[in-house]
Amino acid sequence: MTKDAETTRPPTASRRPPAAVGNVKGILKAELKRREMTYADLVERLAAVGIFESEANLRNKISRGAFTAAFFVQCLIAIGCEHVRIAPPETKVP
């Protein structure tokens, strides 16, 4: 690699998850809280629909926000959520 190619390389991605990850896991946590459900309750409900997760794994997965959109929807369906309000991100005025 030439010296010019090294200087034009794009910066590496930040290790912080995008803001959307916090919003998605926040939605899931809020829906659990709204229904007064624990992670253990969610584990039981997911198992009833054929999705087997340990409570510890589920807690870590949600805490990291490391789950797919499909898993997010499966969780919402398992807890009986029919509607989710998604607000657009706030914009900062300079």
Side-chain angles (χ1 to χ4, degrees):
M1 185 179 297
T2 66
K3 189 166 191 140
D4 290 334
E6 289 178 358
T7 59
T8 59
R9 184 183 298 167
T12 57
S14 169
R15 291 187 184 242
R16 286 181 48 198
V21 170
N23 293 341
V24 172
K25 72 181 185 180
I27 289 169
L28 184 52
K29 286 181 174 184
E31 292 300 327
L32 287 168
K33 189 170 194 117
R34 188 171 286 121
R35 290 164 177 74
E36 298 180 358
M37 293 179 67
T38 64
Y39 289 125
D41 296 328
L42 180 56
V43 166
E44 286 179 22
R45 294 209 180 188
L46 286 171
V49 295
I51 302 161
F52 301 99
E53 297 275 350
S54 70
E55 185 177 344
N57 186 45
L58 184 70
R59 182 180 294 109
N60 288 335
K61 188 182 277 195
I62 293 172
S63 176
R64 286 191 315 268
F67 48 85
T68 63
F71 181 77
F72 175 65
V73 172
Q74 289 169 328
C75 288
L76 293 176
I77 291 169
I79 64 175
C81 182
E82 295 180 1
H83 304 282
V84 177
R85 181 177 175 183
I86 301 173
E90 295 180 21
T91 57
K92 295 182 180 180
V93 179

